Amino acid sequence: MNPHATNPGAVNPLEPAARITKRPVVTLGGEAVAQVKDVVLDATNGRIAGFTLAGRGLLAGPLRKSLPWAGVHSLGADAVMIPSADALEDRAAVASWDETAAGPVRGAGVLTDRGLRVGTVLDVVVETGREGRAVAIEVDSAEALGRHQRKVFLPLGARPAMTGDTLMIPAADIEYVVDDIVELPAAVGRKRLMEKGGYDAAGTEGTP
């Protein structure tokens, strides 16, 4: 049974993309075939497009293979699970996303639809499991957030809007900003419920 079917605000564990680098890529048969070199994002759909890969071990360099998200069985806390080594494809299958549809990238400015700059993207936070959604960003906050030059976390909508080197967000999303990643799953859940017409940013029931 899918818990999200009865609880639209349910959130799987969250991981900053930076923490996923060097995570082993393991087949369901238990063979470690690579490790994650970088996470590549699909901005159009607000999800992970896949992973570029490196070999295993201290001296291992980049591989000519990559792992598209379609080949992932599950993104876990300790490993990226794949059905078999056949899930790996040519590096270009994922690397091309870097040029055509990069997601919210480190260093991008964050601007509200009211023209207020609220900070700079430090990292992207993704949801573990089988969905691979980019659900939030870690932000070096600007003075407009009242937390000048502090790291905060901001939940994203389903389809983040990137324009050049700027991430556009609705001004109302500022209400969901939290100071610690421990608080982030609850904030993401509240935003999901609000988008479905159920609750406001404070968690108060609203009008569907």
Side-chain angles (χ1 to χ4, degrees):
M1 181 178 179
N2 181 359
H4 293 254
T6 54
N7 182 4
V11 180
N12 288 324
L14 305 180
E15 290 275 9
R19 289 188 192 172
I20 301 172
T21 60
K22 298 187 179 180
R23 190 162 296 180
V25 178
V26 181
T27 70
L28 293 179
E31 180 186 4
V33 296
Q35 67 181 13
V36 174
K37 180 177 181 291
D38 204 1
V39 180
V40 181
L41 297 167
D42 169 7
T44 303
N45 297 299
R47 297 176 185 272
I48 296 174
F51 306 98
T52 57
L53 303 174
R56 300 278 290 152
L58 293 176
L59 301 179
L63 295 182
R64 293 182 180 179
K65 295 287 188 179
S66 65
L67 175 59
W69 183 257
V72 174
H73 175 77
S74 183
L75 172 60
D78 298 307
V80 178
M81 303 302 299
I82 59 175
S84 72
D86 292 338
L88 305 185
E89 296 189 16
D90 187 270
R91 192 176 188 278
V94 165
S96 61
W97 285 95
D98 291 330
E99 302 172 1
T100 60
V105 292
R106 298 178 185 92
V110 185
L111 190 69
T112 73
D113 55 7
R114 294 182 182 173
L116 186 67
R117 185 181 182 279
V118 296
T120 304
V121 177
L122 296 173
D123 202 358
V124 179
V125 180
V126 299
E127 189 172 12
T128 61
R130 295 191 177 187
E131 296 298 320
R133 283 183 284 191
V135 298
I137 49 175
E138 183 180 9
V139 178
D140 183 7
S141 59
E143 189 172 352
L145 283 181
R147 300 169 168 89
H148 188 39
Q149 294 185 328
R150 286 171 55 187
K151 295 179 182 179
V152 297
F153 294 89
L154 172 68
L156 293 173
R159 294 178 180 271
M162 283 294 297
T163 304
D165 60 356
T166 301
L167 174 65
M168 302 293 298
I169 64 169
D173 284 4
I174 294 175
E175 300 298 323
Y176 297 92
V177 169
V178 294
D179 292 313
D180 195 289
I181 197 169
V182 174
E183 305 170 84
L184 185 56
V188 171
R190 289 195 301 272
K191 180 170 173 56
R192 285 181 180 173
L193 288 171
M194 183 59 184
E195 289 175 342
K196 292 180 179 295
Y199 292 79
D200 61 20
T204 305
E205 188 170 359
T207 302

